[in-house]
Amino acid sequence: MSNTAQRFREFKMPDVGEGLTEAEILKWYVQVGDTVTDGQSVCEVETAKAAVELPIPFDGVVHELRFDEGVTVDVGTVIISVDTQPGAGPVEPAAPAGGQAAPAAEPAAEQGGDEPEQQGRQAVLVGYGAAPSSTKRRPRKAQPAQRAAPSSVAAALQQELNGHGAAPAAPAPAPAPAAPAAPQAPAGARPLAKPPVRKLAKDLGIDLASVTPTGDGGVITREDVHAAASATAAQAAQPQAAVAEAQPVAATTGAEPAVAGGEVRVPIKGVRKATAQAMVASAFTAPHVTEFITVDVTRTMKLVQDLKQDPEMAGLRINPLLLIAKAFLVAIKRNPEINAAWDEANQEIVHKDYVNLGIAAATPRGLIVPNIKDAGRKTLPELATSLADLVATAREGKTTPAAMSGGTVTITNVGIFGVDTGTPILNPGESAILAIGTIKLQPWVHKGKVKPRQVTTLALSFDHRLVDGELGSKVLADVAAVLENPGKRLITWG
């Protein structure tokens, strides 16, 4: 390996979860020229399960950021290169994130095999040893001033595609002087374009093979893609314009202009993509059964207030969810057969002697379900601490993939949205999920008289392959019994 190759080290997108294939770069913490140290977090990425920070495994100075924020990158793709010997002498400046100043590496076969290999680009997959690079780069060339950066309109549009805001309206650009014809790619060869440009073309629905390149060496630029998109839109608008011209003038006189579009398309990725896949897999794999029960929780609500005054619970977050979670755990203890999993591959039912209690949490990133490990063995104060930590971590967006793995049953509190209950869908691999409805005053027969009582409706969905109707009914009835008389049942059953 040459000295240059040893000098520059590349960091690839790792698999930060369990078999994940891609992650979106949410935020870069460093820029080109920044000094980094071994273990320093250089960016935050979002996977299908969580948002995590990536530490760099070596020291040096950032030489190149390969992708912009908002770009989804496959696991194993180089995302950053670092100059590990910054004192060894000057180097050619690297492109900022998105690679706007230099074209990205293309396979040697696509460039005719005539380009000299650029030193220092041998890929190093962290944790798997060094491997020689199979790609070659074209030498960087100085570009005309007008191509040094995309126009403000193009930059704003790219931000919109990356989810960072809407592209503002801008006056039409002044006509540019005619440029000499750019060399075309050989017939059948893959069009030359940088990764961000390829993503832009994909988002806009543009086939790169149909785009005329204007960049040096036949490279397709962002402006080329925008020009192709504008031409396509203009062609599509011509038939509509012809129809509009054929309409009588009186039909449009005094009328409000028609609203264009009316739709907003959002890419399916991250937590939303993972949630959709999980729910479809669960709904069409596990036969769901949902049972309901309406219960008087007046005594539970009084116990919540009493516990807030208890010195042993000082500093802990006490709320109805805590006692409902405890009631669910007591019901599972009395009916352990419900705490199981269906192993389709081995045709086995796996009974578990631990309860990893999932709590569905609505976060800015979407719905996630972290779980409290071995919740069934925790005391009430320990359970309160675990719940508070789980909620705080979820709100901060710091829930790890490990915290969302291995759940056995789940609680979802839809009552906080003011609804009575729902028919929850199981998390894949789990046997049951309990939905909590809103708690409100209702007329209720209590001790032979109609009185205003605090009432809620619970819904329990379970996997009918694992749980028969009798078992599911017993579990739900036990949860209700604990909530109706928690002082007695938590002592006799807990």
Side-chain angles (χ1 to χ4, degrees), residues 258-265:
V259 178
E263 296 180 350
V264 176
R265 291 182 174 267

Side-chain angles (χ1 to χ4, degrees), residues 135-215:
T135 63
K136 296 185 179 181
R137 279 181 174 269
R138 295 178 300 278
R140 293 187 176 91
K141 298 181 180 179
Q143 297 190 7
Q146 63 267 27
R147 295 188 196 140
S151 67
S152 59
V153 177
L157 180 56
Q158 181 64 23
Q159 289 183 345
E160 181 184 17
L161 293 173
N162 288 342
H164 300 322
Q184 298 293 327
R190 185 186 185 201
L192 302 181
K194 294 168 283 187
V197 176
R198 293 186 185 279
K199 182 178 186 301
L200 173 62
K202 180 180 178 182
D203 293 338
L204 296 179
I206 300 300
D207 182 3
L208 287 176
S210 65
V211 178
T212 301
T214 62

Side-chain angles (χ1 to χ4, degrees), residues 307-331:
L307 289 175
K308 289 182 178 180
Q309 307 303 320
D310 189 333
E312 294 187 5
M313 303 294 285
L316 299 178
R317 182 175 177 82
I318 310 300
N319 54 27
L321 176 60
L322 171 63
L323 295 185
I324 294 172
K326 186 63 177 179
F328 194 19
L329 293 169
V330 169

Side-chain angles (χ1 to χ4, degrees), residues 418-451:
V419 299
D420 292 334
T421 192
T423 54
I425 298 177
L426 294 166
N427 278 331
E430 298 186 9
S431 60
I433 179 170
L434 178 70
I436 308 167
T438 187
I439 299 173
K440 56 187 177 182
L441 283 174
Q442 292 186 15
W444 193 264
V445 177
H446 178 67
K447 295 182 178 179
K449 297 182 179 179
V450 177
K451 298 181 179 180

Side-chain angles (χ1 to χ4, degrees), residues 79-172:
I79 60 174
I80 180 175
S81 65
V82 172
D83 183 356
T84 60
Q85 301 174 24
V91 294
E92 189 175 357
Q100 296 176 359
E106 295 288 348
E110 296 170 6
Q111 302 176 40
D114 297 328
E115 298 293 338
E117 181 175 359
Q118 179 180 343
Q119 297 298 324
R121 291 301 178 190
Q122 282 78 1
V124 178
L125 179 59
V126 177
Y128 295 90
S133 174
S134 62
T135 63
K136 296 185 179 181
R137 279 181 174 269
R138 295 178 300 278
R140 293 187 176 91
K141 298 181 180 179
Q143 297 190 7
Q146 63 267 27
R147 295 188 196 140
S151 67
S152 59
V153 177
L157 180 56
Q158 181 64 23
Q159 289 183 345
E160 181 184 17
L161 293 173
N162 288 342
H164 300 322

